[in-house]
Amino acid sequence: MQPTIESAVEASERRPTQTKGPSVKAFLILWLLVIALGITATYLYSNHLKQQVVLQVQSHTDSQMASLKADYEQKLDVISKEMAELQSKVDSFNELLTFTKDNASSKTDNSNKLYTQLSEVQKQLDKLEKQMDLLK
């Protein structure tokens, strides 16, 4: 039975080696290629999302700025109208004061009342001017 031992050794030598399929290098290269594609796709997608967010924020900011501008212009118009009204009051008080000074006798104290009223109107006018300056 010696031929069996030798025949087993010879048979193993004669057997063709089995092919392993794709080599390890090809597998690693394919794996690295898949990873590189994944990283590239992630980078491109994140840039796309960033652009979308920037556009959304910009449109939101533009709409808020338009709203603020309209509100500002409305308040400025109201204050301008109030200023014009107060200016007309000041002018009429000045005319009345001038008339009263011209017609006042030494016994009447009407000029002091007019000066007080004029002072109050002037304070209101100054207050409105400050508000208008703040709006500018």
Side-chain angles (χ1 to χ4, degrees), residues 20-28:
K20 296 180 183 178
S23 69
V24 174
K25 283 185 182 181
F27 177 74
L28 288 176

Side-chain angles (χ1 to χ4, degrees), residues 13-71:
E13 289 178 2
R14 282 189 247 151
R15 282 189 205 160
T17 57
Q18 292 180 346
T19 58
K20 296 180 183 178
S23 69
V24 174
K25 283 185 182 181
F27 177 74
L28 288 176
I29 290 173
L30 180 64
W31 187 250
L32 289 175
L33 183 63
V34 168
I35 290 172
L37 286 174
I39 290 172
T40 303
T42 303
Y43 176 74
L44 293 175
Y45 183 68
S46 67
N47 280 344
H48 174 72
L49 287 179
K50 189 189 319 180
Q51 288 175 351
Q52 282 184 339
V53 168
V54 166
L55 289 176
Q56 286 176 352
V57 168
Q58 185 177 11
S59 66
H60 183 69
T61 302
D62 289 344
S63 66
Q64 283 185 337
M65 290 296 287
S67 173
L68 285 174
K69 183 178 178 183
D71 188 41

